[in-house]
Amino acid sequence: LRIDPEEWAKLQPPADVRLDGEAVGRAFGDLIEDAKRGGHFHSEKSTRPGLAGYLGVDHQYGRADVEIDGEIVRGVGLRYKGNGTFIEGHESGRYSFKIDFNRFVKGQKFVGLTKLNLNNNVLDPSQIREALAYRLWRKLELPGSRTAFARVTLTVPGRFDKKLLGLYVVVEQVNGPFLKERFGTDKGLLLKPERSLSLPYLGEAFAEYERVYVPKSDAKPRLAKRLMAFTRLVSQADDAAFAEQIGDFIGLEQFAKFTAAHTVLSHLDSFLLRGHNYYLYLPKAGGKFALLPWDVISPFASHRSARSPAQ
């Protein structure tokens, strides 16, 4: 990674944002209180959900160059990513990054991809848990991101010169190219639910769904109505109607595999425990929803909520 100092400054949190232990503890308390009131972990301090947002962090892009396996791609968007891993990365000086190849150069791609993620492994001394977890999904023939490993260096002229940040896991972004390859279309409805354990029905106005289901693509009316019908079935149908109709809305075999993989991996920072770190995708209005894994950074019961004796 190479980024000029003025662009590097854009990535940094605002000067008035504190990231020390006291501030993090206070933000976590606010997050929990919000959740108790039925909120979905969106603070007014930021547009992003999660703990970093409660601290007032809203990750911003700077313009950078990236060299991958000898090929230089210029003018990419580079920003920090994550919530807990961002805070851990701040303490260790080893952040996770998101690379957006066409953020500033329209249509620019790298090997057909528009985005890549560099995950910092700060919660994983083995450095391989996330890659192993995604491999299991692919072995089960479920749509999961491809991964690779990267030795990442950072150059900021006048500050760092090819500073070695360490070993990172490279994770394919769930977006248009991913969806087109796995589902044959990227024109469907892509959602990234946040702190939603029950897929609540929120009425017939799609605007009410945006804060909870966090759409990542345009919600065309027929697709939006399909989501409403799905959540209405889940939330309000009696047992007989649910059993009869649920197979019309979701691939049951795929969902069983998806749930089993989470359970076997003990990936608790997911829909199993916190109602997040997954995507919902509806390829077409009359189709079935598919669930896609995301941020599988603490499998094998390594999340703090599992009270693992060692990270």
Side-chain angles (χ1 to χ4, degrees):
L1 306 174
R2 186 194 184 282
I3 184 168
D4 290 334
E6 59 271 21
E7 296 296 316
W8 176 247
K10 295 177 182 178
L11 275 64
Q12 311 313 313
D16 59 348
V17 169
R18 290 175 51 196
L19 296 174
D20 56 80
E22 180 182 348
V24 171
R26 186 166 56 250
F28 187 75
D30 292 342
L31 181 150
I32 295 300
E33 287 302 312
D34 184 41
K36 289 179 180 177
R37 293 191 296 268
H40 293 277
F41 291 4
H42 284 75
S43 169
E44 295 180 357
K45 297 179 180 179
S46 170
T47 61
R48 63 174 291 109
L51 184 58
Y54 278 80
L55 288 162
V57 174
D58 202 349
H59 300 318
Q60 302 295 321
Y61 280 99
R63 188 176 182 126
D65 299 333
V66 58
E67 181 178 347
I68 304 173
D69 198 25
E71 181 175 343
I72 299 176
V73 187
R74 301 192 185 279
V76 307
L78 181 71
R79 70 166 175 82
Y80 296 141
K81 68 179 292 288
N83 283 296
T85 53
F86 167 76
I87 295 165
E88 296 280 352
H90 178 76
E91 293 178 358
S92 65
R94 179 175 161 176
Y95 297 97
S96 291
F97 295 96
K98 187 179 292 289
I99 300 170
D100 187 339
F101 294 103
N102 65 6
R103 180 81 182 184
F104 300 111
V105 181
K106 187 176 180 180
Q108 180 168 252
K109 296 181 180 181
F110 176 76
V111 295
L113 304 177
T114 57
K115 288 184 181 180
L116 280 177
N117 301 278
L118 300 176
N119 289 349
N120 58 11
N121 293 323
V122 292
L123 302 178
D124 179 11
S126 76
Q127 306 289 289
I128 63 172
R129 291 171 179 163
E130 185 175 23
L132 283 176
Y134 276 116
R135 184 176 181 180
L136 173 61
W137 261 282
R138 297 193 304 272
K139 285 285 187 182
L140 291 172
E141 298 182 346
L142 296 173
S145 298
R146 292 172 292 179
T147 62
F149 291 99
R151 180 180 181 270
V152 178
T153 64
L154 173 66
T155 295
V156 181
R159 183 162 184 169
F160 307 122
D161 183 18
K162 292 188 176 180
K163 178 184 178 181
L164 179 62
L165 301 183
L167 181 70
Y168 280 64
V169 174
V170 185
V171 181
E172 181 183 13
Q173 180 69 33
V174 175
N175 63 357
F178 177 99
L179 299 171
K180 194 152 191 177
E181 181 175 329
R182 272 66 165 199
F183 297 94
T185 179
D186 59 358
K187 305 301 182 184
L189 178 60
L190 181 65
L191 306 159
K192 192 172 184 287
E194 187 60 42
R195 303 315 197 238
S196 172
L197 287 169
S198 58
L199 296 178
Y201 172 64
L202 302 173
E204 295 300 309
F206 187 76
E208 298 297 321
Y209 290 77
E210 293 179 351
R211 191 171 181 84
V212 179
Y213 290 92
V214 193
K216 298 295 183 179
S217 62
D218 291 337
K220 299 172 185 175
R222 292 181 64 207
L223 297 171
K225 287 182 180 179
R226 184 70 169 169
L227 175 66
M228 297 170 194
F230 178 38
T231 59
R232 185 167 59 246
L233 176 73
V234 171
S235 298
Q236 298 184 354
D238 59 34
D239 290 350
F242 179 85
E244 180 182 355
Q245 298 176 40
I246 187 61
D248 295 332
F249 286 94
I250 194 167
L252 296 179
E253 182 179 355
Q254 189 265 0
F255 179 66
K257 287 183 178 181
F258 182 83
T259 305
H262 275 82
T263 305
V264 169
L265 290 169
S266 295
H267 175 38
L268 300 180
D269 193 22
S270 67
F271 82 107
L272 290 179
L273 181 65
R274 295 189 170 181
H276 76 152
N277 280 342
Y278 72 99
Y279 286 92
L280 268 176
Y281 185 57
L282 177 65
K284 57 184 180 180
K288 297 183 180 183
F289 286 88
L291 285 85
L292 315 171
W294 190 245
D295 265 355
V296 196
I297 59 174
S298 53
F300 307 106
S302 61
H303 193 261
R304 289 189 177 92
S305 57
R307 292 180 170 82
S308 175
Q311 290 293 326

